[in-house]
Amino acid sequence: MKKKYLFTPGPTPLPPQIQEALSRPIIHHRTTEYQEIFSEVNEGLRYLFQTENPVFTFASSGTGAMEGAVVNLTREGEKALAIVGGKFGERWQEILEAFGRECIPLEVEWGTAPSAEEVEKLLTEHPEIEVIFATLCETSTGTKTDIEALSSLARRKNKILVVDAISGLGAMELRTDEWGIDVVVAGSQKGMMLPPGLAFLSISERAWNKVMDNQVKAYYWDFKKMRKSYEKNDTPFTPAVSLVVALRESLSLIKEEGIENVWKRYSLMAYATREACQELGLEIFSRSPAEAVTAVKVPSGIDGGNLFRLMKDKLGIQAAGGQAQLKGKILRIAHMGYMDYMDIFLVISGLETALSIMGYPLEKGKGISKVAEIFVKEGVFS
Ligand SMILES: *Cc1c(COP(=O)(O)O)cnc(C)c1O
């Protein structure tokens, strides 16, 4: 027998309550039974997103809702700003270009986040820009962007801010209404403790007015259709019933713990991971590290691919490697979904063990001692 441990930034492990909900017999969606669930889910989503705005639920992966945001919120030929500092920022640019929008990319070095000043400068150079596309947690580099600062800039400049929070939501602080974010996109398989298959999008009144003015060339992704149904507590097409039923359990777990406590838990787990890695002599890749995923540099003399495979095949611990230019150079450890403090001991001791098998010089136990020290000091076990 070999146990497997998932530390990838999506999909993430599922709590037993959710696995149980997923195994229930399916119900029909045009019933009061389903409508009650859907209405409860919508309330829970507004809590998770920290918004009074509508939150749409689509049967799709997260990218679907990103595409929906581009198609509904911009016109053909329109200039839009996208912050590009990794694979997912690139995705905003690729979607914009696929639909004939003119993307003005703000290219930032991978592993760094843009400052509001850099964004403002580009907005001044291109005053026609109406919409800014950003990423809360750039999962490919483990980097956090200061969305609060961007949002306040967007308010001041009267621009619409769209945030890809697919990996961040549920693991990282995000206050949609308080910060004034217009559109937040999320997906089920990252911080929401669910399997892949649902995408979410919250939309402010300001952004909605732009959708209403737009001649949207879409059918499934037509937000006007979505909103009409949403207001009747319904969806225009068949919802992913089983996932929505499981979502109710996820949202109730989040509500029970309290969103602030959830953010605190992941933030402490990420902090302990970073400190433990540094204790082992490893370097954190990002200069603005996210709480949802830690990217640690593979030390010189160690083959990143071999480290990843040794952890996965021999230890049963699946983290994620680097993508594109970071392939073989970083290891990404997720802190999202169904994860708790003890999981950090597991992944750090796995990393220590794998590195020492590979001949990397380290003092065994130093990483997990650091984790224990931090958690005890923070009162995690009291
Ligand atoms: C995973 C991820 C996506 C893509 O989501 P899919 O569900 O695979 O379509 C987009 N953006 C970020 C930041 C992600 O982490």
Side-chain angles (χ1 to χ4, degrees), residues 299-312:
S300 65
I302 296 290
D303 182 288
N306 288 345
L307 173 65
F308 168 82
R309 277 184 296 274
L310 175 61
M311 286 181 73
K312 175 161 105 23

Side-chain angles (χ1 to χ4, degrees), residues 83-229:
I83 293 159
V84 181
K87 282 301 282 177
F88 296 108
E90 278 177 359
R91 188 160 300 182
W92 278 132
Q93 177 168 14
E94 285 162 10
I95 299 171
L96 282 160
E97 287 169 356
F99 286 93
R101 276 61 170 166
E102 189 185 339
C103 180
I104 307 295
L106 174 59
E107 312 243 6
V108 294
E109 191 192 329
W110 286 32
T112 68
S115 67
E117 290 71 36
E118 286 172 275
V119 179
E120 182 160 10
K121 187 163 164 278
L122 210 54
L123 289 176
T124 313
E125 284 166 28
H126 302 275
E128 324 85 282
I129 290 172
E130 293 175 31
V131 188
I132 303 165
F133 292 89
T135 312
L136 169 64
C137 169
E138 175 50 80
T139 320
S140 61
T141 65
T143 300
K144 166 167 77 172
T145 287
D146 185 348
I147 296 299
E148 187 179 9
L150 268 191
S151 197
S152 118
L153 169 69
R155 289 279 74 74
R156 189 153 53 76
K157 300 285 243 176
N158 198 26
K159 310 290 177 192
I160 289 170
L161 177 65
V162 180
V163 176
D164 167 359
I166 294 177
S167 65
L169 189 86
M172 289 165 66
E173 184 181 13
L174 185 74
R175 301 176 191 269
T176 303
D177 286 359
E178 201 182 310
W179 294 353
I181 312 164
D182 294 292
V183 174
V184 174
V185 179
S188 52
Q189 79 277 25
K190 310 259 171 127
M192 293 171 78
M193 304 179 284
L194 292 168
L198 295 177
F200 306 93
L201 182 138
S202 77
I203 185 159
S204 71
E205 259 335 281
R206 265 163 40 90
W208 187 254
N209 291 337
K210 180 145 192 220
V211 173
M212 289 304 282
D213 285 343
N214 199 1
Q215 300 289 327
V216 178
K217 278 193 205 150
Y219 190 88
Y220 185 80
W221 290 110
D222 181 353
F223 288 179
K224 289 178 194 129
K225 233 186 259 152
M226 193 65 179
R227 179 133 194 192
K228 220 167 162 185
S229 296

Side-chain angles (χ1 to χ4, degrees), residues 3 51-52 69 113 116 167 182 216 235 277 287 336 354 363 374-375:
K3 222 171 149 179
T51 186
E52 295 298 321
S167 65
D182 294 292
V216 178
T235 46
C277 286
R287 271 177 268 156
M336 59 172 92
E363 214 177 296
I374 290 170
F375 287 164

Side-chain angles (χ1 to χ4, degrees), residues 229-244:
S229 296
Y230 180 87
E231 269 151 20
K232 292 182 286 186
N233 196 30
D234 203 352
T235 46
F237 312 106
T238 311
V241 174
S242 307
L243 290 174
V244 172

